Amino acid sequence: QVQLVQSGAEVKRPGASVKVSCKASGYTFSNYVLYWVRQAPGQRLEWMGWIHGGNGETKYSQKLQGRVTITRDTSARTTYVELSSLRSEDTAMYYCSTAVAGTGGFEYWGQGTLVTVSS
Amino acid sequence: EIVLTQSPDFQSVTPKEKVTITCRASQSIGTSLHWYQQKADQSPKLLIKDASQSFSGVPSRFSGSGSGRDFTLTINSLEAEDAATYYCHQSSNYPFTFGPGTKVDIK
């Protein structure tokens, strides 16, 4: 079965960077895209970007362009999202997600990683 | 950016009642509209993909319809375990966007 397991909670100072990981299992990692989505407290979900597990192609939200980088390690079946120049508004739950049935819906989700930005 | 609006914001419902949630897109998105259920302190779960296709394992009381700008999620015969916030999501245009959510509470 498809599983996505994320790294643990992080607390960062404003201006710092954070890197969250997502380890995939149960499907052919190199065939599919992995998405990153975040949710600030009490807010709607926000799409951050995606990476293709095979060719490493990426697509980012313009809102976060320049601050967000998504990478992958195919041998480790792990994807990473790094967000730089953190501010308090980046405090959120960060989720990875994937879709293996070839549709636009995000079919499987990680458990989430809480990133808190506080001085 | 395509903006998704949902109505109602909140609905308090008795078990076995029928629930209808609507999602409207700021421009036509064909059928690239998906529905998720998110319970408190949990990750979202896909219910309906491409407007009307049920995701694997989702109870048959959940159904979706619509195309273009207007979409509907229906929960027939609500059960207590359906208390959650429901979000719509479009994957027609970048950036992918989500609706503000509809919270369903059980009376």
Side-chain angles (χ1 to χ4, degrees), chain A residues 56-94:
Chain A
E57 180 185 357
T58 55
K59 179 78 173 178
Y60 298 122
S61 164
Q62 266 198 315
K63 176 185 172 185
L64 297 173
Q65 194 93 32
R67 290 207 298 138
V68 65
T69 306
I70 300 174
T71 56
R72 94 262 187 251
D73 178 341
T74 52
S75 62
R77 302 173 59 87
T78 299
T79 303
Y80 305 89
V81 63
E82 183 168 19
L83 191 61
S84 61
S85 302
L86 289 169
R87 31 217 196 213
S88 57
E89 309 90 87
D90 296 317
T91 294
M93 189 69 80
Y94 288 72

Side-chain angles (χ1 to χ4, degrees), chain A residues 19-66:
Chain A
K19 192 171 186 178
V20 177
S21 68
C22 171
K23 184 173 178 63
S25 62
Y27 70 99
T28 305
F29 181 82
S30 58
N31 285 2
Y32 301 102
V33 161
L34 193 130
Y35 304 95
W36 285 95
V37 176
R38 70 178 183 176
Q39 187 173 35
Q43 301 300 308
R44 71 180 75 188
L45 298 153
E46 179 187 6
W47 173 76
M48 300 176 69
W50 56 253
I51 187 165
H52 192 281
N55 62 20
E57 180 185 357
T58 55
K59 179 78 173 178
Y60 298 122
S61 164
Q62 266 198 315
K63 176 185 172 185
L64 297 173
Q65 194 93 32

